[in-house]
Every structure is written in C-alpha cells, then in structure tokens.
Amino acid sequence: MNKNIYVYDEHCTVLADWFDKKLTSQTLIYIDAHLDLQLVTKSRLKKLLRIKTKKTFKKYEKTNHFRPDDNSIYGLENFLFPAFKLGIIDHLIWVAPPHVPVEISEQVISFVQQMDGVEFDEILNLKQSPQGWFHGQLLGLPITVCRLE
C-alpha cells in the first residue's frame, strides 16, 4: 500500500507535479466545491502524452481564467480529465462540501448533462450506496461522490 499523501491548495498546478513524480493508478481524494472534471480534446491530450519534462508540461497549464487560452491544454476546471487519461488517477473520490448538492435531483442531473463528453448511459448508471454515496463513471473515470462525514 502506498502511504504517500500529497496535499495541494492550487488546482491545476498539481498535474505537472504528479507527472514529474511519475504517479500512476492512484485513487484521488478530491475535496473541493467543484468537480474539475471536464473533457479535454484528443488532439490536446496527444500533446501531453509526448511531453518528457515537468518544465514543458507546465507550459500547457492555464492557472487562471483571465489568461488567454493560447496553447494551454488544461486548467483549473479540467485538470482531472488529463490526469485520468495520462494514467495518473484511476479512481476519483470527490468529497463535496455541505453546500454542494450530491443527491439525485434535477439540479445535479442538469449539471452532469452539461458536462461535455458525458454519455447519457453514465448518468443512468450512477448508483447510490446505502450510506448515500454515489458510484459510477463520468467521462470513463470511476468516481465516488460523498460528503466528508
């Protein structure tokens, strides 16, 4: 069992660090109000797959919304999808804060439906555990959604 724990307070900057550490097949416990799992196109992902150094990797990150989207590939809202596609994470446990709804509701279904690339079958296959957690896949990534308690 890997006993290393990595804690970061900046969103997308962690991806280059994970790449540099050569992490693979990790379960990520993600504590955030937003699920930063959005689709990144195959052509952009191909660029990341060819990168060999952390310095080059960092050139493709967009650390704030005001920066132009010139050659960036990932940013604050979508760095988890490249982490999955690069093999860094293979299971996401999203711990949502109390003010973020995680139950099956019109609001939650509407949010998930608006995520680019999410297949309708993925939404239908989300299952709720007896503890109230949700399990399934989004964009192909196995995901568990829960609260801190």
Side-chain angles (χ1 to χ4, degrees):
M1 179 175 172
N2 185 348
K3 295 186 181 191
N4 295 324
I5 297 173
Y6 304 95
V7 179
Y8 299 87
D9 62 2
E10 181 54 62
H11 286 71
C12 65
T13 58
V14 70
L15 188 54
D17 197 29
W18 290 342
F19 168 82
D20 190 50
K21 292 181 187 318
K22 297 178 178 33
L23 297 178
T24 59
S25 302
Q26 300 292 302
T27 295
L28 174 63
I29 300 172
Y30 188 63
I31 303 170
D32 194 287
H34 306 99
L35 179 58
D36 297 321
L37 178 68
Q38 293 184 32
L39 189 67
V40 173
T41 65
K42 288 180 183 179
S43 61
R44 287 182 174 213
L45 284 172
K46 282 182 184 180
K47 290 180 185 177
L48 288 182
L49 291 169
R50 291 192 299 260
I51 293 172
K52 303 293 183 211
T53 67
K54 180 179 178 180
K55 183 178 178 181
T56 304
F57 201 97
K58 288 186 74 59
K59 288 181 182 180
Y60 290 106
E61 77 185 20
K62 182 177 176 179
T63 54
N64 69 58
H65 294 290
F66 297 111
R67 183 177 152 211
D69 191 28
D70 46 11
N71 69 337
S72 61
I73 294 175
Y74 65 94
L76 300 171
E77 71 285 340
N78 67 354
F79 72 98
L80 294 174
F81 184 73
F84 166 56
K85 287 302 192 177
L86 292 168
I88 296 170
I89 61 173
D90 63 7
H91 182 201
L92 175 65
I93 300 173
W94 178 33
V95 181
H99 71 279
V100 175
V102 294
E103 69 282 344
I104 296 293
S105 66
E106 285 186 36
Q107 179 184 6
V108 171
I109 291 171
S110 175
F111 167 75
V112 174
Q113 285 177 320
Q114 293 175 39
M115 291 176 64
D116 285 342
V118 172
E119 299 291 330
F120 190 65
D121 286 347
E122 289 182 312
I123 298 168
L124 292 177
N125 288 322
L126 289 172
K127 303 290 184 219
Q128 188 171 16
S129 73
Q131 299 85 2
W133 304 358
F134 286 92
H135 305 276
Q137 289 189 0
L138 291 178
L139 298 174
L141 173 62
I143 184 170
T144 301
V145 180
C146 62
R147 297 225 181 266
L148 189 56
E149 62 273 13

